[in-house]
Amino acid sequence: MGISRRDEASTRLVSRSVRASVPSLRAALDAMPAPRTFWTAPDEATVVAGGAAATLTANGQDRFTAIKDGIDRVLRSGDVHAGTEAACPRLFGGFAFHDEGTDDETWADFPGARFVLPRVQVTDTDRGTWLTVNAVGPDATAEAVETRLDAERERFESLDVSDPGPPPSILSRTRTTPRDAWCDSVDAAVSRIRAGDLRKVVLAQALAVTLDRPLSLPDVLARLGDTYPDCYRFLVEPAVDDGDRPGFFGATPERLVTKRGRTVTTGALAGTTGRGDTPAEDDWLAEELLGDEKNVHEHELVAETIREQLAPFASSISAGQRRVRRLATVQHLFTPITATLGGDTHVLDLVEALHPTPAVGGLPPGTALTTIRETEPFDRGWYAAPVGWIDAAGNGTFAVAIRSALARGTETTLFAGVGVVADSDPDREWDEVQLKYRPILDELER
């Protein structure tokens, strides 16, 4: 764990918030100290944050429990004055896809789990913008935090807001999986499914892009917000001192889970087609998707499994009508799912139970994860894993980190995957992967 158990007093939290007139969230993110955090979700506040008042890390199969215990020690007691619930102290972060972690240098700065209580946080809500300063430790005092809050307020309110510059140019692209190898891996998976070893497996690719200069993450997140306003946008940075610190970011349409009190909201997002060039073609593609046997089968596997995973925690579960969710470059089948908890359940208990959903892993889970490890020629790291936030009450929201990329210096690696079932066609699945690169790739090619 990143916080020692030796001295409970060392986790004393002091937090203060004040209204602030921040001229630009993009400029605020650019001005934040490392490690920077960005989070925005439908019907939630947008958070731009920096620094680390406390950091929790964990590895291995007990990482969810270890983080939950650490969060309790950080947030359970303290001197907190927040003008709005959205500005109350929260920890932001996420998990690696696989329990066992990775030795891949690409993800060297991203452990099995990592969460940060930001030192400085700007929270933008429908009712105004709040600036928060947090401090943790035996020497944390209200006077010191309030002095820092006054200084940060002056700094952020006087930010110079300039127009974002043009995105960098792409110099080269390198695929981890050649097309022939991809077709072979899909055919092998289909054979195993037809033999009864698997019901579904999600196979992914990675695309390494070399740019002519480092990517501005505040700029690309702002552009993603223009194109994908209803998605979960995020940025997670590790505390790396060098100038080429990595940043994992994305604009994902897939929520893993939201918990508010005893109300749980989630959904099944699986089954994909493209967008049409005209409204009529768009509608035709949507109707075709709703009636496509392969995509509907894949989708129902996901929805059924989510309901089964929630059942041990819930007194009731309900699912809405399956429909098409349209994004800028693709359309997905989507079924909303809600549940009422039967007892006091922490959001991380739900995250652990739901991850990985069949939309990013497969069925049965153990066999699918082994197949992914054996088949994919790269490590997923935090791709397709839970990212989000947690508060002192055990509430929170987590998204599935798809439509995502890892940026470091002039290198940005994009990730995308597809679900393979018994009637999957390798060429169609290849084309679907290329569609799913578009959200990030389009922002690099403007």
Side-chain angles (χ1 to χ4, degrees):
M1 284 298 301
I3 285 190
S4 170
R5 296 177 182 265
R6 294 193 304 269
D7 184 4
E8 294 293 337
S10 68
T11 63
R12 170 179 165 79
L13 165 66
V14 178
S15 179
R16 293 289 186 272
S17 298
V18 65
R19 284 188 178 273
S21 299
V22 179
S24 163
L25 293 179
R26 179 185 63 82
L29 181 60
D30 197 40
M32 284 290 178
R36 295 176 300 179
T37 296
F38 180 88
W39 173 264
T40 189
D43 303 319
E44 290 190 8
T46 297
V47 174
V48 174
T55 302
L56 305 175
T57 60
N59 288 290
Q61 293 185 347
D62 66 344
R63 57 200 173 125
F64 296 95
T65 300
I67 292 296
K68 183 172 67 173
D69 292 345
I71 287 172
D72 182 57
R73 292 197 303 278
V74 171
L75 297 182
R76 71 181 173 186
S77 63
D79 180 5
V80 177
H81 290 192
T84 179
E85 181 182 355
C88 287
R90 304 178 186 183
L91 281 91
F92 297 85
F95 298 87
F97 184 84
H98 294 286
D99 284 341
E100 60 268 31
T102 175
D103 295 327
D104 190 330
E105 282 300 312
T106 302
W107 295 99
D109 302 304
F110 292 82
R114 182 177 180 276
F115 283 80
V116 166
L117 174 67
R119 188 174 297 278
V120 181
Q121 176 177 316
V122 173
T123 307
D124 187 52
T125 75
D126 292 339
R127 298 183 178 181
T129 302
W130 295 80
L131 176 67
T132 302
V133 170
N134 300 308
V136 173
D139 299 325
T141 65
E143 293 79 10
V145 169
E146 289 165 4
T147 298
R148 174 74 181 272
L149 184 64
D150 289 340
E152 293 290 2
R153 181 180 183 180
E154 181 178 350
R155 183 169 77 93
F156 281 102
E157 289 189 339
S158 62
L159 283 175
D160 180 24
V161 180
S162 58
D163 292 333
S169 299
I170 295 177
L171 300 180
S172 65
R173 308 181 193 194
T174 304
R175 296 184 182 276
T176 59
T177 309
R179 186 158 188 157
D180 289 347
W182 169 260
C183 291
D184 290 343
S185 66
V186 172
D187 284 337
V190 167
S191 295
R192 293 189 63 184
I193 292 168
R194 291 175 177 173
D197 296 336
L198 281 168
R199 295 175 66 193
K200 174 187 176 180
V201 65
V202 177
L203 298 180
Q205 300 178 22
L207 176 66
V209 176
T210 301
L211 307 172
D212 66 348
R213 64 182 186 279
L215 188 65
S216 168
L217 293 178
D219 287 353
V220 76
L221 285 165
R223 293 196 297 268
L224 284 169
D226 292 337
T227 310
Y228 299 93
D230 296 327
C231 286
Y232 299 78
R233 286 177 291 135
F234 64 89
L235 167 65
V236 180
E237 287 185 340
V240 178
D241 292 333
D242 63 62
D244 285 340
R245 64 177 180 268
F248 181 55
F249 70 98
T252 171
E254 186 171 356
R255 168 165 49 188
L256 183 65
V257 66
T258 294
K259 175 188 174 286
R260 298 284 189 278
R262 293 198 174 185
T263 301
V264 173
T265 308
T266 181
L269 189 82
T272 305
T273 191
R275 295 296 305 268
D277 292 331
T278 65
E281 184 182 2
D282 220 26
D283 291 342
W284 181 85
L285 287 168
E287 288 301 318
E288 183 187 48
L289 180 61
L290 283 167
D292 183 78
E293 185 175 346
K294 180 262 181 186
N295 278 293
V296 169
H297 172 60
E298 178 187 349
H299 181 86
E300 283 304 309
L301 287 177
V302 175
E304 175 188 356
T305 303
I306 291 174
R307 291 192 293 267
E308 292 173 352
Q309 291 166 328
L310 286 177
F313 305 96
S315 60
S316 65
I317 302 174
S318 62
Q321 184 175 1
R322 184 170 65 241
R323 60 180 185 260
V324 171
R325 183 174 177 191
R326 286 174 169 165
L327 302 173
T329 55
V330 294
Q331 304 182 77
H332 294 296
L333 292 177
F334 174 68
T335 298
I337 299 172
T338 59
T340 300
L341 296 173
D344 187 14
T345 302
H346 196 282
V347 67
L348 286 185
D349 295 330
L350 302 172
V351 170
E352 183 175 15
L354 291 169
H355 172 72
T357 72
V360 292
L363 291 171
T367 306
L369 292 178
T370 299
T371 303
I372 289 168
R373 277 289 202 191
E374 293 174 348
T375 303
E376 294 176 355
F378 67 98
D379 195 287
R380 289 194 178 192
W382 281 34
Y383 162 68
V387 292
W389 63 267
I390 310 161
D391 68 12
N395 296 319
T397 294
F398 281 81
V400 181
I402 58 175
R403 315 295 145 82
S404 57
L406 180 67
R408 183 194 292 269
T410 57
E411 300 293 324
T412 298
T413 303
L414 290 67
F415 305 94
V418 293
V420 178
V421 291
D423 54 352
S424 288
D425 174 74
D427 291 320
R428 285 185 62 186
E429 306 298 2
W430 174 274
D431 292 341
E432 184 174 322
V433 169
Q434 312 319 306
L435 273 178
K436 291 175 177 177
Y437 282 140
R438 296 311 316 178
I440 304 298
L441 198 58
D442 286 351
E443 302 308 322
L444 302 182
E445 292 183 328
R446 286 194 181 189

